[in-house]
Amino acid sequence: MLAGFVTFEGIDGSGKTTVSHLVLEKLRSRGHSVFLTSEPTSGWLGDLVRRGIQEDVNAITESFLFLADRSVHIGQIRSHLEKGELVLCDRYADSTFAYQGARLVGVLPDPIRFLQNASRGWLLSPDLTILLRVSPELGMNRIKGRPMKIRFEDLGLLRRVAANYDRLARSRRFAVLDGARSAQVVSEDAVSTIERRLARRGRT
Ligand code: TMP
């Protein structure tokens, strides 16, 4: 049985939500016990995050809202990991490092380091982070038709977010997959990456 904590990351329009659902189905059909969750969460702190974004709070406030939501979410993630399950999470800490790391440019000297320091000591580190890499232009094109446009969907910002993801993905915790392919192909690739990486870590 596969067990461990796997996060999906990428810019808006990278296909994370579709791919993580397909990965959930594929792994469940192979008999694994899998729990899929996402951030911002569906809890009241997640609602506060969405409200903060709608009301255009400043980037510092926004950052702490995402961190607060995560600090509660970690308790839920841990309880599933303790049952020996595989937890998949659609966006997690690297979203804050990449997005708020871009939004805080000009506000703080080293935003990513600031956010990483603010997470140190309580953050649960993923066993594997899958970055679905697409160009900001393709990401923007894919989200064009979506009904609820939220403020982060802006090409200039997405370019900075994409650059932050590339920097974060230098860590060995990451696997970078080409998200420009079809969701079926990407999800097959993600499943084999999860099987390979978690097996290597002795998590099966
Ligand atoms: P979603 O479209 O994947 O549900 O994410 C909602 C938006 O929230 C998306 O534009 C990315 C952004 N976001 C952050 O800026 N920081 C975070 O920590 C998270 C989890 C999401």
Side-chain angles (χ1 to χ4, degrees):
M1 288 289 274
L2 286 172
F5 180 30
V6 176
T7 59
F8 289 85
E9 294 284 357
I11 61 171
D12 296 87
S14 58
K16 291 169 294 69
T17 306
T18 313
V19 167
S20 56
H21 279 87
L22 286 170
V23 168
L24 173 76
E25 276 171 29
K26 288 178 199 292
L27 289 173
R28 278 193 177 155
S29 74
R30 294 180 195 190
H32 297 293
S33 185
V34 192
F35 174 70
L36 172 64
T37 184
S38 61
E39 291 190 7
T41 67
S42 53
W44 68 270
L45 280 158
D47 291 341
L48 223 51
V49 169
R50 282 180 284 273
R51 180 166 169 193
I53 293 171
Q54 253 165 25
E55 300 207 357
D56 212 6
V57 293
N58 68 61
I60 293 275
T61 306
E62 168 190 308
S63 301
F64 284 110
L65 288 174
F66 279 113
L67 294 177
D69 187 31
R70 182 160 310 122
S71 69
V72 172
H73 193 204
I74 284 175
Q76 295 158 8
I77 294 170
R78 270 191 210 284
S79 69
H80 285 275
L81 290 173
E82 279 160 12
K83 287 192 260 173
E85 294 178 358
L86 173 67
V87 177
L88 306 178
C89 191
D90 175 2
R91 293 202 182 280
Y92 184 67
D94 295 297
S95 284
T96 304
F97 304 151
Y99 280 79
Q100 279 61 54
R103 303 247 313 133
L104 286 167
V105 170
V107 179
L108 294 169
D110 189 346
I112 295 186
R113 177 161 319 164
F114 169 82
L115 294 162
Q116 287 174 331
N117 284 341
S119 305
R120 195 151 290 136
W122 58 270
L123 191 73
L124 177 66
S125 184
D127 296 302
L128 167 66
T129 297
I130 294 179
L131 174 62
L132 301 186
R133 200 165 184 277
V134 295
S135 69
E137 291 75 14
L138 177 58
M140 278 298 282
N141 218 26
R142 281 181 176 173
I143 60 183
K144 235 177 12 207
R146 286 189 195 167
M148 278 275 289
K149 279 220 152 203
I150 68 163
R151 198 196 44 205
F152 296 150
E153 296 169 356
D154 149 84
L155 186 58
L157 183 77
L158 279 197
R159 286 196 174 126
R160 289 195 292 279
V161 172
N164 283 345
Y165 271 129
D166 285 344
R167 180 177 149 192
L168 293 162
R170 289 190 214 135
S171 151
R172 291 163 61 102
R173 169 168 61 81
F174 275 79
V176 181
L177 305 187
D178 175 5
R181 300 167 297 167
S182 77
Q184 276 298 344
V185 171
V186 178
S187 61
E188 282 297 343
D189 199 0
V191 165
S192 48
T193 303
I194 291 169
E195 287 175 335
R196 200 172 53 244
R197 287 283 197 104
L198 294 189
R200 206 188 301 153
R201 297 176 62 94
R203 289 292 212 133
T204 50

